[in-house]
DNA sequence: GTAGGGTTAG
């Protein structure tokens, strides 16, 4: 700013000598003097048109509407009939400063609109969150017919298409771009690939990307985000490495999208490398980067690191707060989640629907029924928001887990949404815990209808019968499962060691060190048994012999991943394991005992939450 | 003078 003011004063002094004070004598003003002088410059009434045009453009870049308006006023005062160039600059300035009304008025008052005027106004609406109007304007421009389209028109309208997922219009523009050879323009191609990716046509997006002879950093980011949006996280990380090899310099856009891919994959090592780049850069305090870093660390089990990043940001926005609240919730740190929820409001921000999903889920993880009900009411009564399907899902879970199964069922019946599989699944799991066979059968029936191919649902019902000793029904449920097309999702666990992810299935045979792992696990189990560990067979209600049950439990994927961690990671380093399914009771007991025997912190992330095992205890307090 | 990219939710 200081440099700009000095430069500006120098220019004005040199060209027009409007200043009453001597610039040449001493430019070493303090900041406040400079600011005062800057105000005096803006208040000048005799600036020539080229200077005013220059300043208008600067105001558009820096979003300084006060100064922009001052320039506009001077133009009017001078009696200057704004030409196409000046009008477009003013329209753009008002649009960039968020004043669409002024931009539109100027456009409407123009005696003749040029191509640039149309492009500018379309961009104005699109950039101010009104893409529909941007598209309508494009149609109006087409009808008007007084000017043709340029690359600017196409990329600008594609931007509007990306915001409202207007695939048909995008395809028409694509055809038009090909006809006029606009596709060689990097802005046009990048905007095209962005729309295709956002409309889930990732292959088309990738085809455009691969066909581009030249790519900008925006192109790379758009493709990266495209993969992330389409949940192709591995592809996103491969692209990131490719970008690195191609010499693309990271910026806050590349970094935030790369970090979100790392977070989704819980790829901590890769995420750390990106974080290292951030630390050396100037965009570490960028709110998007900070939010993805908080999310990354929280999802990778590093809740302290997440909080460390969160604390460094001075001006926190709602997304950053939400990322941190959700991180605490995921780790079962309900108290911290709730304190942060209050602090966020003290800082002057109102919670949104996402915030409430996080605080409600923190209630799920600790079985806090009354608190959950209070938050659920606050959504509509205190913050005038509407309940969404996630809120109901959390509430059904909170009620069911606490044994209020009928109340949970009532909530499902009364809500205006279609019940989701997760709601029926949660209700069914609660029915197993509280032995409610009747409601379990009803929930299972609904679940089979909406998820006919999920074998886990059949197993859940079978387990409800087994928990009540109804073995004939267990057999019937199993037969039904065999006759159906349903597939059981296999339990998979993975662990990151150095820069490699090791994946294990139950009874894994393919890992290169598998024999060594089984040997080490057997020795360790022996040691554990000597210290009082007994397996918990009731958590695996397979209809199999006792000895086979023991065998299946022993080789659960998380135990294999843990053993490799024990073999490879130096003592003192936490063993962090990820699992695609919920951790079973036996593995939970195993990890508790293992944490006390080895004196190590063991962190297991299952499909629902984090468990931190330390000194024989788990952070979930046995509620999960 | 006008155009393309990023964060949080069971």
């Amino acid at each position: 700013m200081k440099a700009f003011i000095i430069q500006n004063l120098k220019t004005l002094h040199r060209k027009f000598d409007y200043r009453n004070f001597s610039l040449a004598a001493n430019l070493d003003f303090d900041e406040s003097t400079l600011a005062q002088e800057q105000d005096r410059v803006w208040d000048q009434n005799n600036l020539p048109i080229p200077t005013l045009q220059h300043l208008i453009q600067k105001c558009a870049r820096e979003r300084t509407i006060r100064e922009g308006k001052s320039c506009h006023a001077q133009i009017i005062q001078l009696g200057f009939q704004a030409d196409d160039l000046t009008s477009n600059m003013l329209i753009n300035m008002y649009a960039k400063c968020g004043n669409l009304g002024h931009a539109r008025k100027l456009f409407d008052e123009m005696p003749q609109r040029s191509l640039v005027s149309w492009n500018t106004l379309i961009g104005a609406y699109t950039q101010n969150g009104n893409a529909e109007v941007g598209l309508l304007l494009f149609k109006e421009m087409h009808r008007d017919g007084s000017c043709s389209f340029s690359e600017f028109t196409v990329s600008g309208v594609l931007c509007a298409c990306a915001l409202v997922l207007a695939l048909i219009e995008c395809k028409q523009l694509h055809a038009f771009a090909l006809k006029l050879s606009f596709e060689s323009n990097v802005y046009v191609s990048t905007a095209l690939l962005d729309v295709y990716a956002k409309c889930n046509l990732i292959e088309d997006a990738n085809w455009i990307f691969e066909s581009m002879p030249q790519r900008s950093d925006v192109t790379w980011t758009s493709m990266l985000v495209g993969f992330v949006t389409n949940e192709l996280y591995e592809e996103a990380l491969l692209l990131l490495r490719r970008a690195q090899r191609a010499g693309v310099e990271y910026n806050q856009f590349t970094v935030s999208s790369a970090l979100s891919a790392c977070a989704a994959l819980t790829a901590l090592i890769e995420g750390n490398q990106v974080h290292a780049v951030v630390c050396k850069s100037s965009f570490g305090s960028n709110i998007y980067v900070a939010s993805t870093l908080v999310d990354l660390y929280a999802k990778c089990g590093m809740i302290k690191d997440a909080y460390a990043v969160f604390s460094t940001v001075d001006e926190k926005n709602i997304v950053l707060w939400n990322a941190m609240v959700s991180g605490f919730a995921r780790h079962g740190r309900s108290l911290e989640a709730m304190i942060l929820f209050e602090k966020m409001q003290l800082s002057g921000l109102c919670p949104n629907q996402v915030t409430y999903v996080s605080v409600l889920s923190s209630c799920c993880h600790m079985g806090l029924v009354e608190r959950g009900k209070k938050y659920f009411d606050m959504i509509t009564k205190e913050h005038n928001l509407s309940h969404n399907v996630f809120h109901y899902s959390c509430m059904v879970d909170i009620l069911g887990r606490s044994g209020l199964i009928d109340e949970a069922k009532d909530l499902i019946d009364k809500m205006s949404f279609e019940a989701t599989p997760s709601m029926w699944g949660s209700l069914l799991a609660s029915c197993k815990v509280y032995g409610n066979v009747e409601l379990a059968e009803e929930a299972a029936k609904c679940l089979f209808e909406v998820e006919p191919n999920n074998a886990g649902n059949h197993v859940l019902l079978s387990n409800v019968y087994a928990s009540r000793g109804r073995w004939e029904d267990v057999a019937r449920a199993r037969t039904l499962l065999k006759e159906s097309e349903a597939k059981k999702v296999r339990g998979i666990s993975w662990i990151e060691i150095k820069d490699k992810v090791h994946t294990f299935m139950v009874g894994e045979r393919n890992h290169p060190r598998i024999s060594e792992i089984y040997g080490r696990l057997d020795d360790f189990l022996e040691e554990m048994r000597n210290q009082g560990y007994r397996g918990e067979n009731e958590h695996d209600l397979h209809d199999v012999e006792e000895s086979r049950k023991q065998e299946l439990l022993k080789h659960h994927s998380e135990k294999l991943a843990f053993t490799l961690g024990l073999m490879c990671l130096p003592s003192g380093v936490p063993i962090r394991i990820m699992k695609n399914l919920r951790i079973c009771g036996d593995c939970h007991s195993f990890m508790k005992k293992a944490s006390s025997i080895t004196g190590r912190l063991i962190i297991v992330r299952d499909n629902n939450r984090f468990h931190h095992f330390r000194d024989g205890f788990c952070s979930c307090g046995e509620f999960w």
Side-chain angles (χ1 to χ4, degrees):
Chain A
M1 187 62 188
K2 188 173 177 176
F4 157 68
I5 294 169
I6 293 170
Q7 181 62 41
N8 196 26
L9 291 174
K10 270 182 177 174
T11 311
L12 290 168
H13 180 69
R14 190 173 61 245
K15 282 190 176 172
F16 309 111
D17 197 22
Y18 284 126
R19 317 292 339 126
N20 295 323
F21 56 89
S22 168
L23 283 166
N26 181 13
L27 279 173
D28 193 22
F29 299 115
D30 61 34
E31 286 288 342
S32 63
T33 316
L34 283 166
Q36 283 168 20
E37 292 310 324
Q38 175 70 13
D39 284 344
R40 288 173 59 184
V41 173
W42 291 120
D43 291 340
Q44 285 290 315
N45 286 324
N46 301 314
L47 294 175
I49 294 298
T51 310
L52 286 168
Q53 287 173 337
H54 172 79
L55 290 173
I56 289 165
Q57 279 181 273
K58 187 173 162 45
C59 293
R61 277 197 306 275
E62 296 181 355
R63 273 76 166 151
T64 46
I65 191 148
R66 195 177 74 87
E67 291 80 358
K69 273 184 175 172
S70 161
C71 294
H72 189 189
Q74 287 177 54
I75 286 175
I76 294 168
Q77 219 167 28
L78 287 171
F80 175 71
Q81 188 65 48
D83 56 1
D84 183 58
L85 179 78
T86 317
S87 297
N88 291 336
M89 283 177 175
L90 282 167
I91 292 170
N92 188 42
M93 183 274 293
Y94 280 120
K96 290 285 187 295
C97 294
N99 193 330
L100 263 180
H102 273 62
R104 183 67 202 233
K105 192 166 178 287
L106 279 167
F107 179 84
D108 289 340
E109 285 168 357
M110 285 175 85
Q112 262 195 324
R113 286 128 199 174
S114 68
L115 170 64
V116 179
S117 324
W118 282 102
N119 292 346
T120 308
L121 197 71
I122 290 169
Y125 276 99
T126 307
Q127 289 153 24
N128 282 286
N130 213 336
E132 283 94 349
V133 179
L135 286 175
L136 285 173
L137 270 169
F138 173 60
K139 283 172 189 163
E140 200 182 321
M141 179 186 180
H142 185 51
R143 271 199 308 273
D144 183 75
S146 60
C147 44
S148 56
F149 307 138
S150 68
E151 290 98 325
F152 284 82
T153 326
V154 176
S155 58
V157 179
L158 281 170
C159 180
C161 293
L163 287 170
V164 293
L165 306 179
L167 185 59
I168 295 169
E169 287 82 352
C170 166
K171 285 185 172 174
Q172 286 168 346
L173 284 161
H174 192 178
F176 181 74
L178 287 170
K179 198 173 149 193
L180 294 175
S181 302
F182 283 173
E183 86 281 7
S184 58
N185 177 296
V186 74
Y187 285 82
V188 171
S189 299
T190 304
L192 269 173
L193 89 80
D194 183 53
V195 184
Y196 282 125
K198 286 197 168 92
C199 293
N200 301 117
L201 295 174
I202 192 67
E203 284 180 9
D204 295 85
N206 196 225
W207 189 87
I208 293 173
F209 178 84
E210 295 300 343
S211 315
M212 286 171 76
Q214 281 188 321
R215 305 178 185 106
S216 69
D217 55 343
V218 182
T219 318
W220 286 92
T221 312
S222 301
M223 198 61 242
L224 203 54
V225 174
F227 281 135
V228 174
T229 312
N230 287 269
E231 298 181 2
L232 296 165
Y233 307 114
E234 298 279 1
E235 283 80 353
L237 289 192
L238 286 172
L239 189 78
L240 182 72
R241 288 170 209 143
R242 200 174 136 192
Q244 217 171 4
R245 285 196 302 275
V248 178
E249 275 206 22
Y250 287 177
N251 57 33
Q252 58 254 53
F253 294 92
T254 14
V255 159
S256 52
S257 48
L259 286 170
S260 68
C262 295
L265 287 169
T266 59
L268 181 62
I269 293 171
E270 193 115 17
N272 273 333
Q273 286 166 357
V274 179
H275 192 181
V277 175
V278 172
C279 291
K280 285 183 210 155
S281 75
S282 58
F283 43 82
S285 55
N286 177 276
I287 198 83
Y288 287 83
V289 174
S291 303
T292 41
L293 275 171
V294 167
D295 188 47
L296 168 80
Y297 284 123
K299 283 187 176 146
C300 290
M302 319 284 283
I303 194 71
K304 280 186 183 167
D305 298 74
Y307 193 70
V309 174
F310 172 81
S311 309
T312 58
V313 183
D314 293 327
E315 287 190 27
K316 300 175 176 69
N317 70 1
I318 186 81
V319 177
L320 183 70
W321 283 99
N322 286 352
M324 197 63 241
V325 175
S326 121
F328 278 132
R330 196 176 281 119
H331 285 261
R333 306 273 288 259
S334 305
L335 189 62
E336 284 93 336
M338 289 169 196
I339 290 171
L340 222 58
F341 176 71
E342 299 299 331
K343 276 191 167 182
M344 186 191 99
Q345 290 171 78
L346 282 175
S347 82
L349 285 170
C350 277
N352 64 11
Q353 289 186 317
V354 180
T355 329
Y356 272 111
V357 174
S358 298
V359 284
L360 280 172
S361 79
S362 78
C363 296
C364 292
H365 293 143
M366 293 298 276
L368 306 169
V369 185
E370 290 311 315
R371 177 62 70 147
K373 285 181 177 176
K374 188 184 151 208
Y375 287 141
F376 192 76
D377 282 345
M378 279 169 67
I379 295 173
T380 48
K381 291 177 187 158
E382 198 151 316
H383 287 108
N384 207 20
L385 298 162
S386 55
H387 288 131
N388 69 18
V389 73
F390 294 111
H391 302 136
Y392 276 103
S393 189
C394 287
M395 214 49 221
V396 166
D397 207 36
I398 292 170
L399 294 168
R401 280 170 188 271
S402 310
L404 299 166
I405 303 177
D406 291 326
E407 218 176 307
K409 175 67 171 49
D410 276 350
L411 196 67
I412 292 180
D413 291 339
K414 281 181 191 154
M415 68 185 187
S416 55
F417 302 97
E418 191 73 29
T420 62
S422 83
M423 288 182 198
W424 293 124
S426 149
L427 199 63
L428 188 52
S430 302
C431 288
K432 177 186 168 264
V433 175
Y434 295 97
N436 189 334
V437 176
E438 203 179 309
L439 198 52
E441 286 176 330
E442 195 182 336
K445 191 170 167 257
C446 298
L447 205 48
F448 296 161
E449 276 173 21
V450 284
E451 276 191 346
N453 294 322
N454 187 338
N457 299 331
H458 291 271
V459 176
L460 261 175
L461 180 64
S462 154
N463 287 353
V464 175
Y465 292 134
S467 68
R468 306 292 289 177
R470 289 169 57 166
W471 302 110
E472 280 182 19
D473 290 318
V474 170
R476 192 166 48 84
R478 292 278 164 178
T479 312
L480 206 66
L481 170 60
K482 276 178 198 157
E483 286 169 357
S484 74
E485 301 273 302
K487 298 273 183 301
K488 195 174 174 185
V489 179
R490 297 196 75 171
I492 297 170
S493 295
W494 61 98
I495 183 167
E496 233 183 15
I497 293 170
K498 289 188 182 162
D499 54 352
K500 193 167 168 19
V501 176
H502 299 259
T503 309
F504 295 91
M505 285 197 298
V506 59
E508 178 69 43
R509 291 278 155 213
N510 294 329
H511 191 275
R513 297 179 69 182
I514 199 66
S515 308
E516 211 184 325
I517 291 168
Y518 281 126
R520 182 75 177 86
L521 180 56
D522 278 340
D523 293 345
F524 190 67
L525 278 165
E526 187 61 36
E527 191 185 343
M528 285 178 78
R529 283 193 202 99
N530 291 338
Q531 297 205 28
Y533 163 73
R534 295 286 171 268
E536 294 189 24
N537 294 5
E538 71 271 20
H539 291 286
D540 197 313
L541 296 162
H542 286 89
D543 193 12
V544 291
E545 291 169 23
E546 195 64 24
S547 59
R548 179 83 181 110
K549 273 186 195 172
Q550 290 280 359
E551 201 60 27
L552 281 170
L553 284 174
K554 197 171 98 178
H555 296 157
H556 269 183
S557 58
E558 53 268 59
K559 292 193 183 91
L560 301 174
F562 162 79
T563 310
L564 184 69
L566 200 60
M567 285 159 51
C568 302
L569 296 169
S571 62
V573 173
I575 297 176
R576 298 180 317 107
I577 300 157
M578 308 289 162
K579 192 180 178 190
N580 65 335
L581 301 175
R582 187 172 172 271
I583 185 171
C584 83
D586 179 61
C587 286
H588 198 263
S589 303
F590 173 93
M591 296 299 172
K592 280 194 290 185
K593 194 73 184 169
S595 71
S596 67
I597 291 177
T598 60
R600 301 176 77 138
L601 171 63
I602 304 166
I603 303 168
V604 178
R605 194 220 66 184
D606 67 10
N607 62 350
N608 187 38
R609 57 167 298 159
F610 276 95
H611 300 260
H612 293 243
F613 301 92
R614 195 196 296 268
D615 302 327
F617 294 94
C618 179
S619 60
C620 76
E622 304 306 303
F623 197 97
W624 84 92

